[in-house]
Amino acid sequence: MSKNWSTFFSGVRITSPLILGVAPFGLIFGAICVTTGVPEWGAIGFSTIVFAGASQLVVNQLMAEHASMAVIILTGLVINMRMFMYSASLAPHWTGLHPIKKGLLAYMLTDQAYAMSIARYNEPDGDTINKPLFYFGSAITMWGCFNITTVLGAYLGAFIPTEWDLGFAIPLTFIAVVVPAIKDRPAALAAAVGGAVALVANDLPYNLGLMAGAVSGIVAGYAAERRQTNG
Amino acid sequence: MVDMNTYWPIVLIMGVGTFVIRFSFILIMDKLTLPDAVHRMLRFIPAAVLTALLVPSVLLHKNGVTSFAGWERLIAALVAVLVAWKTKNILATIGSGMVVMWGLQALL
């Protein structure tokens, strides 16, 4: 097997344990979407076209509450604005790639594929691998998982008992990828400030609390690092 | 119930908008040099953004109103953080978090 394909499969392999946490996400979205009166293929189309679960759940809820179109779209896009940051973070690793390939990889961008790829790129031998192909393996694993489970959730979702609280698996996937990414004090501060601000700012309109937390955390980490290096 | 007349327009606009967000820097970075400060901020993105996502979703339920989601979730999340820190194992982290949450649910 060529070195390239083994890089692709290592992306698949390293990401596959996250299926345990992302599968419930697809199941829950598919199920909830159908209970709000959307036909099964409508829920499935939503997942394949937008492919951003957190925003899909909120947008679906706002649609069920008959919020105005502008509020619904704005809220959904604000939740997804964090991916501007992922885009900026991945971009230096993919320079020179054909724009169509970049577009395909961008369409599949998720929190999980981003976190797994950046962690791999930052390892000592990270510059020796085919970076886009590693990401592709990671991203397509998440894509397949979320879309297949959306289909299952849409058709079978009514059978999942809500007491199981399967949705809790979603933040657990973030814990699983963020904790190993915190390797020094500035990064720990970035996480602490990000989490605290997002919590306190949770009631901001349009779900702006997430971006408020994200930006404060990044600035806090950067400031702490500057203090460290400047003595 | 969702109004199906606005459903597909919303999904399509969300799809295009989200794609533009994802594609943005990936598309233009070849022609762009980031200021050094921005470059140094990039490394804090995973820690800050993922934690900003996960803390409210562990602690708060949002069924119309925002409320505390319960001690079992908080304790299970703390156990998962500990497991993630000690093992760096994804399956062990998700598995231990779910099992502790279910166990506490049965007890409390």
Side-chain angles (χ1 to χ4, degrees), chain A residues 38-75:
Chain A
V38 177
E40 286 84 359
W41 52 271
I44 295 161
F46 200 166
S47 277
T48 49
I49 292 169
V50 179
F51 188 50
S55 69
Q56 288 173 225
L57 279 173
V58 173
V59 163
N60 178 252
Q61 191 189 349
L62 289 173
M63 289 199 280
E65 292 165 4
H66 297 284
S68 78
M69 250 179 101
V71 167
I72 295 172
I73 291 165
L74 192 60
T75 304

Side-chain angles (χ1 to χ4, degrees), chain A residues 133-148:
Chain A
L133 213 50
F134 179 90
Y135 166 91
F136 184 53
S138 177
I140 200 137
T141 307
M142 290 292 99
W143 190 91
C145 174
F146 185 65
N147 283 291
I148 291 168

